[in-house]
Amino acid sequence: VRFGTLSQRLVLVREHAVLDVNQASEGRFPADAKCALERWEELRAWAGQADWSAARPLADAALGPPVPLPRQVFAVALNYRPHAAEAGFSPPSEPLIFTKFPSCVTGPYGTIALPDGHVDWEIELVAVVGTGGRDIARAKAWGAIAGVTIGQDLSERKLQLTGTPPQFSLAKSFAGFGPTGPVAVTTDELADRDDIGFECWLNNERVQRGRTSEMIFPVDDLVARLSRVCRLLPGDLIFTGTPAGVGNRRNPPRYLAEGDVLVSRFEGIGEIRQSFAR
Ligand code: ZN
C-alpha cells in the first residue's frame, strides 16, 4: 500500500492514480491522515481490497506530505558512522534525539525560501507511525510503523553550530525545512525494509548515497527506545538520520543557493524534489 495526501485528504496512490480514502470507503475512514492512522490495521486491510473504480489521475505535483502537521517529529543525529566521523564525533552509544517542529513539515515538491545563513541538505528515511503506543518491544516495533517515506532534514548551520553547545531543533525548523513524501510505502512492498538504497543529488551531482542497513540504530531500535519515553502517536514522523556527504563537512563547505535543485531518491519509494530561492 502506498498512501499520501492530496489537498490535505488521505489518498491511496498507484503509479498514475489516486483514490480518496474517505470517499471510496463511504465515510468509514476520515479524510485526515492522523485520524485515519489511529485505525491503521483496519485501514490497511481495507486498502488491500479497495475498489479503485472511483480513482482519479495522479497529478504528481499536487501530492502533499503523507502526514500534514504531525503531532511529534523525532529526528536522530549521527546515525551513520561515516557521517559521525565527518562531523568529528565517535559513534554514539545512545541515539541523540532532537525534533523538527511540526510546522516545518511540507510536501515532496516545491520551492523553499532560503533564510539568512548556511542551509544544508540531509537525505533521510522517515518512518511514519501507524497505531503507535508506548513501551513497544523492538521485536514488535516494525508493526507500529505504517510505512516509510523520504525526507530532507534541511538545516541552517549557522544557527545550529554557532553557539556552545550547539542547538539542533530550531535550526532545522525554518518554513519548509521538513519536506516529506511523495508517498508512505508499507514495508511489504520493499525487498528488504532494513536495507533500502538511496541517493541525494544536488543539481547534476550526487552528493550523498547510502543504504539504511548502515544505520547505527535501525528503525526498530529507534521505535523501541523512543516509545520508552514518549507515547508514539498515529502519524508521528521519525527522521532516521543522514549518511556522509552533507555540505558543511565538505572542503570547502558548500551550501544551498538560489536556483539549486535538490533531488532525494529511495529505492521502492520514489523521489522528492526541492528548489531554492532567496
Ligand atoms: Zn538529520
Side-chain angles (χ1 to χ4, degrees):
V1 174
R2 306 167 80 83
F3 65 89
T5 64
L6 197 59
S7 306
Q8 311 264 342
R9 295 176 64 85
L10 183 66
V11 290
L12 304 183
V13 183
R14 284 183 177 170
E15 199 174 346
H16 299 297
V18 293
L19 185 68
D20 186 285
V21 168
N22 175 253
Q23 288 169 1
S25 71
E26 298 179 321
R28 181 172 159 195
F29 299 103
D32 178 80
K34 293 189 291 283
C35 297
L37 285 168
E38 285 176 18
R39 288 150 56 201
W40 167 240
E41 290 303 329
E42 193 188 336
L43 172 62
R44 181 181 181 157
W46 172 84
Q49 45 184 287
D51 173 4
W52 280 73
S53 57
R56 286 172 292 157
L58 168 65
D60 258 340
L63 283 173
V67 181
L69 210 59
R71 285 166 285 203
Q72 303 185 97
V73 181
F74 303 94
V76 190
L78 309 176
N79 201 19
Y80 289 80
R81 281 183 182 80
H83 176 58
E86 73 176 354
F89 295 98
S90 37
S93 55
E94 284 284 323
L96 177 54
I97 306 295
F98 58 94
T99 189
K100 293 174 77 71
F101 294 106
S103 61
C104 79
V105 172
T106 186
Y109 316 109
T111 300
I112 294 169
L114 290 166
D116 288 341
H118 295 155
V119 179
D120 203 349
W121 58 87
E122 295 188 2
I123 186 174
E124 308 202 1
L125 182 78
V126 176
V128 179
V129 174
T131 317
R134 192 186 275 288
D135 289 323
I136 300 164
R138 185 169 177 181
K140 294 188 171 174
W142 269 113
I145 297 298
V148 290
T149 190
I150 305 167
Q152 266 289 341
D153 174 17
L154 296 173
S155 309
E156 198 285 281
R157 301 298 191 195
K158 273 192 171 174
L159 181 58
Q160 181 187 348
L161 299 170
T162 297
T164 307
Q167 63 169 323
F168 284 50
S169 300
L170 199 58
K172 291 164 171 275
S173 296
F174 285 90
F177 270 30
T180 53
V183 290
V185 177
T186 52
T187 56
D188 60 320
E189 298 219 359
L190 302 168
D192 181 346
R193 65 191 180 188
D194 289 301
D195 183 30
I196 312 169
F198 58 90
E199 294 184 342
C200 176
W201 290 73
L202 177 56
N203 303 326
N204 292 313
E205 182 187 338
R206 187 174 63 199
V207 288
Q208 289 184 283
R209 66 186 299 195
R211 304 198 65 85
T212 59
S213 52
E214 296 161 353
M215 288 181 193
I216 297 171
F217 304 100
V219 172
D220 56 355
D221 195 11
L222 291 172
V223 166
R225 290 168 183 267
L226 291 169
S227 71
R228 259 177 239 154
V229 179
C230 299
R231 184 160 72 96
L232 302 186
L233 305 171
D236 284 355
L237 303 182
I238 305 171
F239 280 70
T240 57
T242 201
V246 298
N248 73 323
R249 301 302 175 188
R250 287 167 182 263
N251 189 10
R254 179 169 172 190
Y255 300 106
L256 292 166
E258 181 157 31
D260 278 348
V261 176
L262 188 67
V263 177
S264 311
R265 292 194 186 108
F266 271 78
E267 289 171 3
I269 304 177
E271 69 175 44
I272 63 173
R273 180 181 295 259
Q274 283 71 49
S275 53
F276 296 87
R278 279 284 166 204

